[in-house]
Short mmCIF file of all heavy atoms in Angstrom, two decimals:
data_model
loop_
_atom_site.label_atom_id
_atom_site.label_comp_id
_atom_site.label_asym_id
_atom_site.label_seq_id
_atom_site.Cartn_x
_atom_site.Cartn_y
_atom_site.Cartn_z
N MET B 789 -21.44 -4.14 -27.47
CA MET B 789 -20.75 -4.34 -26.21
C MET B 789 -19.93 -3.04 -25.88
O MET B 789 -19.21 -2.56 -26.61
CB MET B 789 -19.90 -5.56 -26.38
CG MET B 789 -18.99 -5.79 -25.09
SD MET B 789 -17.85 -7.06 -25.09
CE MET B 789 -17.76 -7.72 -26.72
N ASN B 790 -20.21 -2.58 -24.63
CA ASN B 790 -19.47 -1.43 -24.12
C ASN B 790 -18.14 -1.89 -23.57
O ASN B 790 -18.03 -2.97 -23.02
CB ASN B 790 -20.20 -0.66 -23.07
CG ASN B 790 -21.44 0.02 -23.69
OD1 ASN B 790 -21.50 0.41 -24.79
ND2 ASN B 790 -22.44 0.13 -22.82
N LEU B 791 -17.09 -1.05 -23.81
CA LEU B 791 -15.73 -1.43 -23.40
C LEU B 791 -15.24 -0.38 -22.31
O LEU B 791 -15.70 0.64 -22.28
CB LEU B 791 -14.74 -1.45 -24.53
CG LEU B 791 -15.16 -2.45 -25.66
CD1 LEU B 791 -14.17 -2.32 -26.78
CD2 LEU B 791 -15.12 -3.92 -25.12
N VAL B 792 -14.39 -0.92 -21.47
CA VAL B 792 -13.81 -0.05 -20.41
C VAL B 792 -12.28 -0.15 -20.52
O VAL B 792 -11.74 -1.24 -20.68
CB VAL B 792 -14.30 -0.58 -18.99
CG1 VAL B 792 -13.52 0.19 -17.81
CG2 VAL B 792 -15.78 -0.48 -18.84
N THR B 793 -11.62 0.96 -20.42
CA THR B 793 -10.22 1.06 -20.52
C THR B 793 -9.69 1.47 -19.18
O THR B 793 -10.08 2.51 -18.59
CB THR B 793 -9.65 1.92 -21.58
OG1 THR B 793 -10.19 1.44 -22.85
CG2 THR B 793 -8.13 1.93 -21.67
N LEU B 794 -8.72 0.63 -18.68
CA LEU B 794 -8.04 1.01 -17.40
C LEU B 794 -6.54 0.65 -17.55
O LEU B 794 -6.15 0.33 -18.68
CB LEU B 794 -8.61 0.15 -16.13
CG LEU B 794 -8.57 -1.33 -16.28
CD1 LEU B 794 -8.68 -1.93 -14.90
CD2 LEU B 794 -9.72 -1.87 -17.11
N THR B 795 -5.84 0.97 -16.59
CA THR B 795 -4.33 0.76 -16.69
C THR B 795 -3.90 -0.26 -15.72
O THR B 795 -4.21 -0.24 -14.56
CB THR B 795 -3.65 2.11 -16.38
OG1 THR B 795 -4.17 3.10 -17.35
CG2 THR B 795 -2.13 2.02 -16.56
N VAL B 796 -3.06 -1.21 -16.22
CA VAL B 796 -2.53 -2.29 -15.36
C VAL B 796 -1.05 -2.21 -15.56
O VAL B 796 -0.49 -2.49 -16.56
CB VAL B 796 -3.00 -3.68 -15.85
CG1 VAL B 796 -2.40 -4.80 -15.00
CG2 VAL B 796 -4.53 -3.84 -15.71
N ASP B 797 -0.37 -1.96 -14.38
CA ASP B 797 1.11 -1.80 -14.39
C ASP B 797 1.60 -0.88 -15.48
O ASP B 797 2.60 -1.18 -16.18
CB ASP B 797 1.76 -3.11 -14.44
CG ASP B 797 1.57 -4.01 -13.14
OD1 ASP B 797 1.33 -3.30 -12.13
OD2 ASP B 797 1.74 -5.18 -13.27
N GLY B 798 0.89 0.26 -15.74
CA GLY B 798 1.28 1.23 -16.70
C GLY B 798 0.84 0.90 -18.13
O GLY B 798 1.08 1.76 -19.00
N ARG B 799 0.12 -0.20 -18.28
CA ARG B 799 -0.23 -0.54 -19.71
C ARG B 799 -1.81 -0.41 -19.81
O ARG B 799 -2.48 -0.92 -19.02
CB ARG B 799 0.10 -2.00 -20.04
CG ARG B 799 1.60 -2.16 -20.08
CD ARG B 799 2.00 -3.64 -20.22
NE ARG B 799 1.36 -4.25 -21.43
CZ ARG B 799 1.57 -5.49 -21.80
NH1 ARG B 799 2.23 -6.34 -21.08
NH2 ARG B 799 0.95 -5.97 -22.90
N PRO B 800 -2.30 0.29 -20.89
CA PRO B 800 -3.71 0.38 -21.05
C PRO B 800 -4.27 -0.96 -21.44
O PRO B 800 -3.73 -1.70 -22.16
CB PRO B 800 -3.82 1.37 -22.19
CG PRO B 800 -2.57 1.46 -22.90
CD PRO B 800 -1.48 0.97 -21.81
N VAL B 801 -5.45 -1.29 -20.81
CA VAL B 801 -6.10 -2.64 -21.00
C VAL B 801 -7.64 -2.29 -21.22
O VAL B 801 -8.20 -1.50 -20.41
CB VAL B 801 -5.95 -3.51 -19.84
CG1 VAL B 801 -6.74 -4.83 -19.98
CG2 VAL B 801 -4.39 -3.93 -19.62
N THR B 802 -8.14 -2.83 -22.25
CA THR B 802 -9.58 -2.61 -22.58
C THR B 802 -10.30 -4.05 -22.34
O THR B 802 -9.87 -5.00 -22.94
CB THR B 802 -9.85 -2.11 -23.91
OG1 THR B 802 -9.05 -0.78 -24.03
CG2 THR B 802 -11.27 -1.91 -24.21
N VAL B 803 -11.35 -3.94 -21.55
CA VAL B 803 -12.14 -5.18 -21.22
C VAL B 803 -13.67 -4.82 -21.43
O VAL B 803 -14.00 -3.60 -21.44
CB VAL B 803 -11.83 -5.77 -19.86
CG1 VAL B 803 -10.45 -6.23 -19.73
CG2 VAL B 803 -12.22 -4.66 -18.82
N PRO B 804 -14.48 -5.80 -21.62
CA PRO B 804 -15.94 -5.50 -21.68
C PRO B 804 -16.49 -4.87 -20.32
O PRO B 804 -16.01 -5.26 -19.24
CB PRO B 804 -16.51 -6.90 -21.92
CG PRO B 804 -15.47 -7.74 -22.45
CD PRO B 804 -14.22 -7.22 -21.83
N GLU B 805 -17.40 -3.97 -20.50
CA GLU B 805 -18.05 -3.36 -19.23
C GLU B 805 -18.57 -4.52 -18.36
O GLU B 805 -19.19 -5.45 -18.90
CB GLU B 805 -19.14 -2.46 -19.67
CG GLU B 805 -19.75 -1.72 -18.50
CD GLU B 805 -20.84 -0.76 -19.06
OE1 GLU B 805 -21.87 -1.23 -19.52
OE2 GLU B 805 -20.54 0.56 -19.12
N GLY B 806 -18.30 -4.52 -17.08
CA GLY B 806 -18.85 -5.51 -16.22
C GLY B 806 -17.78 -6.62 -15.92
O GLY B 806 -17.95 -7.43 -15.00
N ALA B 807 -16.69 -6.59 -16.58
CA ALA B 807 -15.58 -7.54 -16.38
C ALA B 807 -14.89 -7.25 -14.99
O ALA B 807 -14.94 -6.09 -14.59
CB ALA B 807 -14.54 -7.49 -17.49
N SER B 808 -14.35 -8.18 -14.43
CA SER B 808 -13.62 -8.04 -13.15
C SER B 808 -12.21 -7.35 -13.43
O SER B 808 -11.69 -7.59 -14.49
CB SER B 808 -13.47 -9.30 -12.37
OG SER B 808 -12.58 -10.15 -13.09
N VAL B 809 -11.69 -6.82 -12.36
CA VAL B 809 -10.27 -6.34 -12.45
C VAL B 809 -9.31 -7.52 -12.69
O VAL B 809 -8.37 -7.46 -13.38
CB VAL B 809 -9.92 -5.51 -11.13
CG1 VAL B 809 -8.40 -5.37 -11.15
CG2 VAL B 809 -10.73 -4.29 -11.11
N ALA B 810 -9.72 -8.75 -12.10
CA ALA B 810 -8.82 -9.90 -12.34
C ALA B 810 -8.82 -10.25 -13.83
O ALA B 810 -7.76 -10.59 -14.32
CB ALA B 810 -9.46 -11.10 -11.58
N ALA B 811 -9.92 -10.12 -14.61
CA ALA B 811 -9.83 -10.35 -16.01
C ALA B 811 -8.96 -9.36 -16.70
O ALA B 811 -8.20 -9.82 -17.64
CB ALA B 811 -11.31 -10.34 -16.59
N ALA B 812 -9.04 -8.12 -16.27
CA ALA B 812 -8.18 -7.10 -16.90
C ALA B 812 -6.69 -7.38 -16.60
O ALA B 812 -5.83 -7.37 -17.58
CB ALA B 812 -8.52 -5.76 -16.41
N VAL B 813 -6.42 -7.79 -15.39
CA VAL B 813 -4.99 -8.03 -14.99
C VAL B 813 -4.48 -9.20 -15.82
O VAL B 813 -3.33 -9.26 -16.16
CB VAL B 813 -4.87 -8.17 -13.48
CG1 VAL B 813 -3.42 -8.63 -13.06
CG2 VAL B 813 -5.21 -6.83 -12.75
N ALA B 814 -5.30 -10.26 -15.91
CA ALA B 814 -4.88 -11.49 -16.50
C ALA B 814 -4.50 -11.35 -17.95
O ALA B 814 -3.73 -12.13 -18.52
CB ALA B 814 -6.00 -12.52 -16.36
N THR B 815 -4.91 -10.24 -18.56
CA THR B 815 -4.53 -9.98 -20.04
C THR B 815 -3.04 -9.54 -20.01
O THR B 815 -2.58 -9.46 -21.11
CB THR B 815 -5.48 -8.94 -20.74
OG1 THR B 815 -5.29 -7.70 -20.06
CG2 THR B 815 -6.98 -9.40 -20.61
N VAL B 816 -2.57 -9.05 -18.90
CA VAL B 816 -1.21 -8.48 -18.90
C VAL B 816 -0.22 -9.41 -18.19
O VAL B 816 0.89 -9.54 -18.65
CB VAL B 816 -1.26 -7.16 -18.15
CG1 VAL B 816 0.16 -6.51 -17.95
CG2 VAL B 816 -2.06 -6.12 -18.91
N THR B 817 -0.63 -10.10 -17.03
CA THR B 817 0.27 -10.85 -16.32
C THR B 817 -0.52 -11.99 -15.50
O THR B 817 -1.67 -11.66 -15.14
CB THR B 817 1.13 -9.97 -15.37
OG1 THR B 817 1.96 -10.86 -14.63
CG2 THR B 817 0.21 -9.28 -14.38
N GLY B 818 0.19 -13.04 -15.21
CA GLY B 818 -0.43 -14.02 -14.22
C GLY B 818 -0.03 -13.75 -12.80
O GLY B 818 -0.50 -14.41 -11.91
N VAL B 819 0.85 -12.82 -12.61
CA VAL B 819 1.38 -12.48 -11.23
C VAL B 819 0.63 -11.30 -10.71
O VAL B 819 0.74 -10.14 -11.11
CB VAL B 819 2.88 -12.15 -11.23
CG1 VAL B 819 3.35 -11.86 -9.82
CG2 VAL B 819 3.66 -13.27 -11.82
N PHE B 820 -0.25 -11.54 -9.72
CA PHE B 820 -1.08 -10.54 -9.12
C PHE B 820 -0.45 -9.92 -7.94
O PHE B 820 -0.34 -8.79 -7.69
CB PHE B 820 -2.43 -11.06 -8.69
CG PHE B 820 -3.32 -11.20 -9.92
CD1 PHE B 820 -3.03 -12.01 -10.99
CD2 PHE B 820 -4.62 -10.61 -9.86
CE1 PHE B 820 -3.86 -12.15 -12.11
CE2 PHE B 820 -5.52 -10.70 -10.93
CZ PHE B 820 -5.14 -11.55 -12.07
N ARG B 821 0.19 -10.90 -7.04
CA ARG B 821 0.96 -10.47 -5.95
C ARG B 821 2.05 -11.48 -5.70
O ARG B 821 2.15 -12.44 -6.45
CB ARG B 821 0.01 -10.39 -4.69
CG ARG B 821 -0.48 -11.78 -4.20
CD ARG B 821 -1.23 -11.71 -2.86
NE ARG B 821 -1.37 -13.06 -2.31
CZ ARG B 821 -0.56 -13.58 -1.41
NH1 ARG B 821 0.59 -12.95 -1.10
NH2 ARG B 821 -0.67 -14.77 -1.00
N ARG B 822 2.88 -11.19 -4.68
CA ARG B 822 3.99 -12.16 -4.33
C ARG B 822 3.83 -12.45 -2.86
O ARG B 822 3.49 -11.63 -2.07
CB ARG B 822 5.27 -11.60 -4.65
CG ARG B 822 5.63 -11.48 -6.16
CD ARG B 822 7.01 -11.09 -6.47
NE ARG B 822 7.22 -11.04 -7.83
CZ ARG B 822 7.42 -11.97 -8.69
NH1 ARG B 822 7.69 -13.19 -8.27
NH2 ARG B 822 7.58 -11.69 -10.05
N SER B 823 4.12 -13.80 -2.55
CA SER B 823 4.12 -14.15 -1.11
C SER B 823 5.29 -13.56 -0.45
O SER B 823 6.14 -12.87 -1.08
CB SER B 823 4.22 -15.68 -1.09
OG SER B 823 5.55 -16.12 -1.37
N VAL B 824 5.33 -13.74 0.82
CA VAL B 824 6.43 -13.11 1.68
C VAL B 824 7.77 -13.70 1.19
O VAL B 824 8.85 -13.03 1.45
CB VAL B 824 6.22 -13.26 3.14
CG1 VAL B 824 5.01 -12.44 3.59
CG2 VAL B 824 6.14 -14.79 3.55
N ARG B 825 7.78 -14.91 0.65
CA ARG B 825 9.04 -15.45 0.04
C ARG B 825 9.26 -15.05 -1.36
O ARG B 825 10.23 -15.58 -1.98
CB ARG B 825 9.04 -16.90 0.28
CG ARG B 825 9.04 -17.30 1.76
CD ARG B 825 9.14 -18.72 1.93
NE ARG B 825 9.20 -19.07 3.37
CZ ARG B 825 9.23 -20.19 3.94
NH1 ARG B 825 9.21 -21.28 3.11
NH2 ARG B 825 9.21 -20.42 5.15
N GLY B 826 8.37 -14.34 -1.97
CA GLY B 826 8.57 -13.84 -3.42
C GLY B 826 7.95 -14.78 -4.39
O GLY B 826 8.09 -14.57 -5.62
N THR B 827 7.17 -15.73 -4.00
CA THR B 827 6.54 -16.60 -4.87
C THR B 827 5.35 -15.91 -5.63
O THR B 827 4.53 -15.24 -4.94
CB THR B 827 5.92 -17.87 -4.16
OG1 THR B 827 6.99 -18.44 -3.41
CG2 THR B 827 5.33 -18.89 -5.15
N PRO B 828 5.28 -15.99 -6.94
CA PRO B 828 4.21 -15.33 -7.63
C PRO B 828 2.83 -15.97 -7.33
O PRO B 828 2.81 -17.22 -7.30
CB PRO B 828 4.63 -15.49 -9.10
CG PRO B 828 5.63 -16.51 -9.11
CD PRO B 828 6.32 -16.65 -7.82
N ARG B 829 1.84 -15.19 -7.12
CA ARG B 829 0.53 -15.71 -6.80
C ARG B 829 -0.51 -15.13 -7.81
O ARG B 829 -0.32 -13.98 -8.26
CB ARG B 829 0.13 -15.38 -5.32
CG ARG B 829 1.28 -15.72 -4.32
CD ARG B 829 1.57 -17.12 -4.22
NE ARG B 829 0.41 -17.89 -3.83
CZ ARG B 829 0.44 -19.16 -3.42
NH1 ARG B 829 1.55 -19.95 -3.61
NH2 ARG B 829 -0.70 -19.73 -3.04
N GLY B 830 -1.55 -15.85 -7.99
CA GLY B 830 -2.60 -15.35 -8.88
C GLY B 830 -3.96 -15.92 -8.39
O GLY B 830 -4.03 -16.64 -7.34
N PRO B 831 -5.06 -15.50 -9.05
CA PRO B 831 -6.36 -15.95 -8.58
C PRO B 831 -6.56 -17.42 -8.45
O PRO B 831 -5.99 -18.15 -9.31
CB PRO B 831 -7.27 -15.40 -9.68
CG PRO B 831 -6.50 -14.25 -10.31
CD PRO B 831 -5.04 -14.67 -10.20
N TYR B 832 -7.16 -17.81 -7.43
CA TYR B 832 -7.38 -19.30 -7.12
C TYR B 832 -8.92 -19.43 -7.02
O TYR B 832 -9.41 -20.37 -7.72
CB TYR B 832 -6.65 -19.70 -5.91
CG TYR B 832 -6.80 -21.17 -5.65
CD1 TYR B 832 -6.25 -22.18 -6.37
CD2 TYR B 832 -7.56 -21.58 -4.51
CE1 TYR B 832 -6.43 -23.48 -6.21
CE2 TYR B 832 -7.68 -22.92 -4.28
CZ TYR B 832 -7.04 -23.86 -5.03
OH TYR B 832 -7.32 -25.23 -4.80
N CYS B 833 -9.57 -18.83 -6.10
CA CYS B 833 -10.89 -19.15 -5.78
C CYS B 833 -11.95 -18.35 -6.65
O CYS B 833 -12.95 -18.88 -7.05
CB CYS B 833 -11.24 -18.92 -4.38
SG CYS B 833 -11.31 -17.20 -3.86
N GLY B 834 -11.60 -17.15 -7.03
CA GLY B 834 -12.47 -16.28 -7.81
C GLY B 834 -13.69 -15.81 -7.08
O GLY B 834 -14.59 -15.21 -7.70
N MET B 835 -13.64 -15.96 -5.74
CA MET B 835 -14.87 -15.53 -4.95
C MET B 835 -14.47 -14.81 -3.63
O MET B 835 -15.33 -14.86 -2.73
CB MET B 835 -15.88 -16.63 -4.79
CG MET B 835 -15.28 -17.79 -4.04
SD MET B 835 -16.44 -19.08 -4.04
CE MET B 835 -15.65 -20.29 -2.90
N GLY B 836 -13.32 -14.22 -3.47
CA GLY B 836 -13.05 -13.44 -2.33
C GLY B 836 -12.60 -14.16 -1.05
O GLY B 836 -12.58 -13.66 -0.05
N GLN B 837 -12.25 -15.46 -1.27
CA GLN B 837 -11.85 -16.25 0.03
C GLN B 837 -10.35 -16.48 0.14
O GLN B 837 -9.87 -16.62 1.22
CB GLN B 837 -12.52 -17.61 -0.13
CG GLN B 837 -14.07 -17.54 -0.20
CD GLN B 837 -14.57 -16.87 1.04
OE1 GLN B 837 -14.32 -17.31 2.23
NE2 GLN B 837 -15.37 -15.83 0.95
N CYS B 838 -9.62 -16.59 -0.98
CA CYS B 838 -8.19 -17.06 -0.85
C CYS B 838 -7.24 -15.77 -0.70
O CYS B 838 -6.08 -15.98 -0.39
CB CYS B 838 -7.83 -17.86 -2.03
SG CYS B 838 -7.66 -16.93 -3.60
N PHE B 839 -7.62 -14.62 -1.12
CA PHE B 839 -6.81 -13.43 -1.19
C PHE B 839 -5.56 -13.57 -2.03
O PHE B 839 -4.57 -12.77 -1.88
CB PHE B 839 -6.42 -13.07 0.30
CG PHE B 839 -7.54 -12.61 1.21
CD1 PHE B 839 -8.47 -13.54 1.70
CD2 PHE B 839 -7.65 -11.29 1.46
CE1 PHE B 839 -9.53 -13.08 2.42
CE2 PHE B 839 -8.77 -10.82 2.22
CZ PHE B 839 -9.65 -11.79 2.73
N GLU B 840 -5.53 -14.45 -2.93
CA GLU B 840 -4.39 -14.56 -3.80
C GLU B 840 -4.39 -13.55 -4.94
O GLU B 840 -3.34 -13.42 -5.69
CB GLU B 840 -4.38 -16.01 -4.43
CG GLU B 840 -4.11 -17.10 -3.31
CD GLU B 840 -2.75 -17.09 -2.63
OE1 GLU B 840 -1.99 -16.15 -3.02
OE2 GLU B 840 -2.46 -18.06 -1.93
N CYS B 841 -5.44 -12.84 -5.10
CA CYS B 841 -5.51 -11.93 -6.19
C CYS B 841 -5.35 -10.49 -5.78
O CYS B 841 -5.88 -9.58 -6.51
CB CYS B 841 -6.91 -12.11 -6.93
SG CYS B 841 -8.35 -11.61 -5.91
N GLU B 842 -4.68 -10.23 -4.60
CA GLU B 842 -4.65 -8.92 -4.13
C GLU B 842 -3.81 -7.99 -5.09
O GLU B 842 -2.74 -8.43 -5.58
CB GLU B 842 -3.89 -8.87 -2.77
CG GLU B 842 -4.76 -9.11 -1.55
CD GLU B 842 -4.05 -8.87 -0.28
OE1 GLU B 842 -2.78 -8.54 -0.33
OE2 GLU B 842 -4.64 -8.95 0.67
N VAL B 843 -4.35 -6.93 -5.40
CA VAL B 843 -3.73 -5.87 -6.24
C VAL B 843 -4.03 -4.47 -5.56
O VAL B 843 -4.75 -4.48 -4.65
CB VAL B 843 -4.13 -5.94 -7.64
CG1 VAL B 843 -3.76 -7.17 -8.42
CG2 VAL B 843 -5.66 -5.60 -7.78
N ARG B 844 -3.37 -3.52 -6.12
CA ARG B 844 -3.76 -2.11 -5.68
C ARG B 844 -4.57 -1.49 -6.81
O ARG B 844 -4.22 -1.51 -7.94
CB ARG B 844 -2.48 -1.30 -5.46
CG ARG B 844 -1.87 -1.65 -4.08
CD ARG B 844 -0.35 -1.14 -3.98
NE ARG B 844 0.33 -1.92 -3.04
CZ ARG B 844 0.86 -3.07 -3.29
NH1 ARG B 844 0.75 -3.66 -4.46
NH2 ARG B 844 1.53 -3.79 -2.40
N ILE B 845 -5.72 -1.02 -6.35
CA ILE B 845 -6.65 -0.33 -7.31
C ILE B 845 -6.69 1.16 -6.89
O ILE B 845 -7.23 1.41 -5.73
CB ILE B 845 -8.06 -0.95 -7.30
CG1 ILE B 845 -8.02 -2.43 -7.71
CG2 ILE B 845 -8.99 -0.17 -8.32
CD1 ILE B 845 -9.31 -3.14 -7.64
N ASP B 846 -6.16 2.03 -7.64
CA ASP B 846 -6.11 3.39 -7.29
C ASP B 846 -5.46 3.65 -5.89
O ASP B 846 -5.85 4.43 -5.13
CB ASP B 846 -7.43 4.10 -7.37
CG ASP B 846 -8.01 4.11 -8.79
OD1 ASP B 846 -7.27 4.21 -9.69
OD2 ASP B 846 -9.26 4.09 -8.85
N GLY B 847 -4.35 2.81 -5.68
CA GLY B 847 -3.61 2.79 -4.51
C GLY B 847 -4.16 2.12 -3.27
O GLY B 847 -3.42 1.99 -2.28
N ARG B 848 -5.27 1.56 -3.44
CA ARG B 848 -5.89 0.84 -2.23
C ARG B 848 -5.81 -0.73 -2.53
O ARG B 848 -6.14 -1.18 -3.54
CB ARG B 848 -7.33 1.16 -2.03
CG ARG B 848 -7.56 2.71 -1.82
CD ARG B 848 -8.91 3.05 -1.55
NE ARG B 848 -9.33 2.47 -0.26
CZ ARG B 848 -10.62 2.53 0.28
NH1 ARG B 848 -11.51 3.26 -0.43
NH2 ARG B 848 -10.86 2.01 1.38
N ILE B 849 -5.35 -1.44 -1.51
CA ILE B 849 -5.32 -3.01 -1.69
C ILE B 849 -6.69 -3.48 -1.75
O ILE B 849 -7.62 -3.14 -0.94
CB ILE B 849 -4.59 -3.56 -0.43
CG1 ILE B 849 -3.12 -3.08 -0.46
CG2 ILE B 849 -4.67 -5.15 -0.48
CD1 ILE B 849 -2.32 -3.50 0.73
N SER B 850 -6.90 -4.21 -2.92
CA SER B 850 -8.28 -4.79 -3.10
C SER B 850 -8.19 -6.22 -3.77
O SER B 850 -7.08 -6.66 -4.11
CB SER B 850 -8.97 -3.91 -4.25
OG SER B 850 -8.97 -2.56 -3.84
N LEU B 851 -9.21 -6.88 -3.74
CA LEU B 851 -9.28 -8.24 -4.37
C LEU B 851 -9.73 -8.03 -5.74
O LEU B 851 -10.92 -7.64 -5.98
CB LEU B 851 -10.19 -9.12 -3.56
CG LEU B 851 -9.79 -9.52 -2.11
CD1 LEU B 851 -10.84 -10.30 -1.37
CD2 LEU B 851 -8.43 -10.11 -2.04
N ALA B 852 -8.84 -8.40 -6.70
CA ALA B 852 -9.19 -8.30 -8.10
C ALA B 852 -10.42 -9.02 -8.56
O ALA B 852 -11.05 -8.60 -9.47
CB ALA B 852 -7.99 -8.52 -8.96
N CYS B 853 -10.65 -10.22 -7.97
CA CYS B 853 -11.71 -11.01 -8.48
C CYS B 853 -13.10 -10.41 -8.09
O CYS B 853 -14.08 -10.77 -8.69
CB CYS B 853 -11.56 -12.46 -7.94
SG CYS B 853 -11.84 -12.63 -6.13
N LEU B 854 -13.12 -9.57 -7.06
CA LEU B 854 -14.39 -8.99 -6.66
C LEU B 854 -14.64 -7.56 -7.20
O LEU B 854 -15.76 -7.14 -7.07
CB LEU B 854 -14.46 -8.98 -5.08
CG LEU B 854 -14.40 -10.26 -4.34
CD1 LEU B 854 -14.50 -10.10 -2.88
CD2 LEU B 854 -15.51 -11.27 -4.86
N ALA B 855 -13.61 -7.00 -7.70
CA ALA B 855 -13.74 -5.60 -8.15
C ALA B 855 -14.13 -5.50 -9.62
O ALA B 855 -13.59 -6.27 -10.49
CB ALA B 855 -12.53 -4.91 -7.93
N ARG B 856 -15.05 -4.62 -10.04
CA ARG B 856 -15.37 -4.45 -11.40
C ARG B 856 -14.40 -3.49 -12.04
O ARG B 856 -13.90 -2.57 -11.35
CB ARG B 856 -16.79 -3.81 -11.48
CG ARG B 856 -17.86 -4.80 -11.04
CD ARG B 856 -18.37 -5.54 -12.23
NE ARG B 856 -19.47 -6.37 -11.81
CZ ARG B 856 -19.34 -7.73 -11.83
NH1 ARG B 856 -18.23 -8.36 -12.23
NH2 ARG B 856 -20.30 -8.52 -11.42
N ALA B 857 -14.08 -3.72 -13.24
CA ALA B 857 -13.25 -2.88 -14.00
C ALA B 857 -13.99 -1.47 -14.25
O ALA B 857 -15.06 -1.48 -14.70
CB ALA B 857 -12.81 -3.45 -15.28
N THR B 858 -13.30 -0.38 -13.85
CA THR B 858 -13.96 0.93 -14.03
C THR B 858 -13.02 1.76 -14.91
O THR B 858 -11.81 1.66 -14.83
CB THR B 858 -14.17 1.67 -12.68
OG1 THR B 858 -12.96 1.78 -11.99
CG2 THR B 858 -15.27 0.93 -11.80
N PRO B 859 -13.67 2.71 -15.75
CA PRO B 859 -12.88 3.48 -16.60
C PRO B 859 -11.84 4.37 -15.88
O PRO B 859 -12.15 4.89 -14.92
CB PRO B 859 -13.92 4.37 -17.33
CG PRO B 859 -15.18 3.67 -17.13
CD PRO B 859 -15.09 2.89 -15.82
N GLY B 860 -10.55 4.22 -16.32
CA GLY B 860 -9.52 5.09 -15.85
C GLY B 860 -8.91 4.52 -14.52
O GLY B 860 -7.92 5.14 -13.94
N ALA B 861 -9.29 3.45 -14.01
CA ALA B 861 -8.74 2.83 -12.76
C ALA B 861 -7.27 2.56 -13.05
O ALA B 861 -6.85 2.13 -14.15
CB ALA B 861 -9.46 1.59 -12.33
N ILE B 862 -6.43 2.75 -12.05
CA ILE B 862 -4.98 2.39 -12.08
C ILE B 862 -4.78 1.23 -11.18
O ILE B 862 -4.92 1.19 -9.95
CB ILE B 862 -4.10 3.67 -11.51
CG1 ILE B 862 -4.51 4.95 -12.17
CG2 ILE B 862 -2.65 3.29 -11.65
CD1 ILE B 862 -4.16 5.11 -13.62
N ILE B 863 -4.38 0.11 -11.90
CA ILE B 863 -4.15 -1.18 -11.17
C ILE B 863 -2.62 -1.41 -11.09
O ILE B 863 -1.94 -1.29 -12.06
CB ILE B 863 -4.74 -2.31 -11.95
CG1 ILE B 863 -6.16 -2.03 -12.36
CG2 ILE B 863 -4.67 -3.64 -11.09
CD1 ILE B 863 -7.20 -1.69 -11.24
N THR B 864 -2.20 -1.72 -10.01
CA THR B 864 -0.76 -2.10 -9.70
C THR B 864 -0.68 -3.51 -9.09
O THR B 864 -1.31 -3.84 -8.15
CB THR B 864 -0.06 -1.14 -8.75
OG1 THR B 864 -0.35 0.20 -9.24
CG2 THR B 864 1.41 -1.28 -8.72
N THR B 865 0.25 -4.30 -9.72
CA THR B 865 0.47 -5.64 -9.28
C THR B 865 1.83 -5.72 -8.67
O THR B 865 2.64 -4.83 -8.82
CB THR B 865 0.19 -6.73 -10.40
OG1 THR B 865 1.38 -6.63 -11.21
CG2 THR B 865 -1.04 -6.45 -11.17
N ASP B 866 2.25 -6.92 -8.21
CA ASP B 866 3.56 -7.20 -7.82
C ASP B 866 4.37 -7.95 -8.96
O ASP B 866 5.46 -8.45 -8.65
CB ASP B 866 3.55 -8.14 -6.59
CG ASP B 866 3.18 -7.35 -5.29
OD1 ASP B 866 3.11 -6.17 -5.34
OD2 ASP B 866 2.75 -8.02 -4.34
N ALA B 867 3.87 -7.95 -10.11
CA ALA B 867 4.51 -8.61 -11.23
C ALA B 867 5.94 -8.34 -11.49
O ALA B 867 6.80 -9.18 -11.71
CB ALA B 867 3.75 -8.53 -12.61
N GLY B 868 6.25 -7.07 -11.32
CA GLY B 868 7.67 -6.64 -11.58
C GLY B 868 8.59 -6.68 -10.37
O GLY B 868 9.77 -6.17 -10.41
N THR B 869 8.14 -7.11 -9.23
CA THR B 869 8.99 -7.15 -8.05
C THR B 869 9.47 -8.55 -7.67
O THR B 869 8.90 -9.55 -8.12
CB THR B 869 8.18 -6.63 -6.83
OG1 THR B 869 7.13 -7.51 -6.58
CG2 THR B 869 7.62 -5.26 -7.09
N LEU B 870 10.47 -8.55 -7.03
CA LEU B 870 11.05 -9.94 -6.53
C LEU B 870 11.25 -9.87 -5.04
O LEU B 870 11.48 -8.95 -4.42
CB LEU B 870 12.40 -10.24 -7.20
CG LEU B 870 12.13 -10.91 -8.56
CD1 LEU B 870 13.54 -11.20 -9.18
CD2 LEU B 870 11.34 -12.25 -8.47
S1 FES Y 1672 -9.13 -15.22 -6.30
FE1 FES Y 1672 -9.45 -15.78 -4.30
S2 FES Y 1672 -9.89 -13.92 -3.40
FE2 FES Y 1672 -9.72 -13.40 -5.47
#
């Protein structure tokens, strides 16, 4: 099995090749984004419909459930914000 290493909120994460960014983020935190009231949100549908899994991938807002983990990608979540 080939592995891919990327960074989630500054922490290196290694997942199997072909795994989603959501899988990589879930190994670090359950908080992908926060609502406008600060409520922590995470993946719900897993198929690009609910937008609850928004993260930044290399600075661009993306849906973690639809994005494949790529080597060296920098993922940023709202886990550390209130
Ligand atoms: S989990 Fe619903 S859009 Fe990603």
Side-chain angles (χ1 to χ4, degrees):
M789 171 180 14
N790 292 330
L791 300 175
V792 171
T793 300
L794 57 160
T795 302
V796 178
D797 290 339
R799 296 174 56 180
V801 174
T802 301
V803 294
E805 186 176 71
S808 68
V809 168
V813 172
T815 67
V816 174
T817 179
V819 180
F820 284 56
R821 70 174 193 90
R822 290 189 183 273
S823 71
V824 292
R825 294 185 178 175
T827 306
R829 311 299 294 188
Y832 181 70
C833 72
M835 59 184 188
Q837 298 299 306
C838 71
F839 291 76
E840 298 291 4
C841 66
E842 274 188 358
V843 295
R844 284 165 204 78
I845 302 174
D846 296 328
R848 300 182 68 179
I849 295 174
S850 307
L851 296 177
C853 69
L854 297 182
R856 293 266 180 250
T858 55
I862 307 290
I863 315 301
T864 308
T865 73
D866 288 342
T869 63
L870 278 179

